[in-house]
């Protein structure tokens, strides 16, 4: 009976390894798509800020102030 218990340890380890490997190789495209969309929005925002910086001063929109 003791030999069967010692045989159970590697069998449980193999089962745990199978479950872990199937979990790590799962399809995670949903998260990648959202992350790539966020990166695309970030790049667009950075390009807009570069465009605003490159415009001449007179072409920039004026800040509205009621203090004057």
């Amino acid at each position: 009976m003791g030999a069967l218990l010692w045989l159970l340890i590697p069998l449980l380890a193999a089962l745990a390894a199978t479950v872990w490997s199937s979990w790590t190789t799962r399809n995670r495209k949903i998260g990648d798509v959202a992350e790539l969309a966020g990166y695309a929005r970030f790049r667009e925002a950075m390009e807009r800020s570069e465009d605003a910086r490159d415009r001449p001063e007179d072409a920039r929109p004026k800040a509205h102030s009621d203090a004057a």
Side-chain angles (χ1 to χ4, degrees):
M1 189 67 168
L4 290 177
L5 289 176
W6 279 105
L7 184 60
L8 193 59
I9 294 172
L11 290 175
L12 289 176
L15 178 65
T18 302
V19 169
W20 178 79
S21 69
S22 66
W23 179 72
T24 57
T25 59
R26 69 190 185 280
N27 190 358
R28 292 183 272 175
K29 289 185 180 178
I30 294 171
D32 291 342
V33 171
E35 187 174 328
L36 290 174
Y39 180 66
R41 288 193 305 270
F42 170 76
R43 286 182 35 205
E44 290 171 4
M46 293 304 291
E47 288 173 1
R48 283 193 303 262
S49 69
E50 286 178 3
D51 290 343
R53 207 175 339 136
D54 293 341
R55 279 190 278 175
E57 189 65 37
D58 57 342
R60 292 185 184 171
K62 303 293 182 199
H64 180 68
S65 174
D66 291 331

